[in-house]
Amino acid sequence: MTNRIAMTNAVIECILSRSSAKYYDPAATLSDDQISELVRIGTTAPTSFHLQNWRFIAVRTPEAKARLSPIAWKQPAITEAAVTFIICGQLADSSVIPDRLAPVVEAGIMPAKLIPDWEIPARDLYKDYPQRQRDEAVRTGAFGAAAMIYAARSLGLGSTPMIGFDAEAVHRDFGLAEDEVPVMLLSVGAERPGNWPQKPRRPVADVLDLI
């Protein structure tokens, strides 16, 4: 007898069947519209105080891939996948909150009078705390990348998140701003045979405390 709750819907099946791809079809491409749509989906992920403190650099041309490959340990996914995103998180900056919330007010979701209720605590949380600013940049980038990973899987595409790269070189060679952190690389593209299924995970009992 099992205590596992049966959960069967398309989203959960997508999550449970995802694995990091090693082998890509180097002849397969993604259009700029498809790349833009993946990023649009990524930007629906949550961000603290609606900061939306991220940027996505889509490395998709042979020339750009050739620039990235040597500073990313020459991992095959860089050159074989259709696109590799440089996921950039931006240091948390409370001063952008009024601009970021303006469309929310215009959409009638929140009243303008609530903006200071978001901006002031965000300033207190981040302004004098550089480590918190950086932590938020990494958190934000990771949330956005995760949304793109599952969106790619739902579209029948493989993906590979990678931390194997020279962060200083990526920052310099791809023109990241002073307040931007290269959180990870994320390759996306059509797979070719040979990729493993999702690897078994540690038992939930080993990682969950019910209190």
Side-chain angles (χ1 to χ4, degrees):
M1 184 175 180
T2 179
N3 291 324
R4 180 176 294 177
I5 300 171
M7 296 184 181
T8 54
N9 66 45
V11 174
I12 292 172
E13 287 302 317
C14 171
I15 293 170
L16 295 179
S17 64
R18 180 221 60 85
S19 63
S20 294
K22 183 177 182 181
Y23 302 111
Y24 288 93
D25 177 357
T29 61
L30 292 175
S31 69
D32 287 358
D33 286 345
Q34 289 173 306
I35 291 171
S36 295
E37 181 64 4
L38 282 172
V39 171
R40 186 191 70 80
I41 294 168
T43 62
T44 66
T47 62
S48 181
F49 297 98
H50 205 52
L51 285 169
Q52 304 172 80
N53 50 316
W54 42 31
R55 188 164 67 94
F56 306 85
I57 301 172
V59 178
R60 76 202 200 293
T61 65
E63 294 79 12
K65 291 177 179 181
R67 286 168 53 206
L68 180 59
S69 179
I71 57 177
W73 302 359
K74 296 187 177 179
Q75 296 177 79
I78 302 296
T79 52
E80 293 183 359
V83 60
T84 294
F85 296 96
I86 302 172
I87 309 292
C88 304
Q90 297 166 335
L91 302 180
D93 177 8
S94 63
S95 69
V96 305
I97 288 178
D99 285 342
R100 302 287 156 83
L101 288 179
V104 183
V105 173
E106 291 171 8
I109 295 171
M110 72 178 288
K113 67 181 181 181
L114 289 183
I115 291 178
D117 293 343
W118 291 46
E119 184 181 7
I120 293 169
R123 183 171 64 239
D124 293 341
L125 181 63
Y126 299 121
K127 186 173 185 293
D128 298 318
Y129 300 94
Q131 186 61 52
R132 291 181 187 175
Q133 296 172 22
R134 192 181 191 283
D135 288 349
E136 202 59 65
V138 173
R139 228 181 336 257
T140 294
F143 277 141
M148 294 167 69
I149 286 169
Y150 293 119
R153 175 61 183 167
S154 74
L155 296 170
L157 300 171
S159 66
T160 311
M162 294 174 282
I163 59 169
F165 60 93
D166 182 333
E168 291 183 1
V170 168
H171 200 287
R172 178 188 66 245
D173 294 353
F174 286 86
L176 272 65
E178 187 176 345
D179 70 338
E180 291 182 324
V181 178
V183 175
M184 71 179 77
L185 306 179
L186 177 63
S187 292
V188 177
E191 299 179 67
R192 58 184 170 91
N195 288 314
W196 292 350
Q198 188 176 96
K199 297 181 287 295
R201 263 37 182 190
R202 295 169 61 192
V204 172
D206 290 357
V207 300
L208 171 65
D209 287 328
L210 296 170
I211 59 176

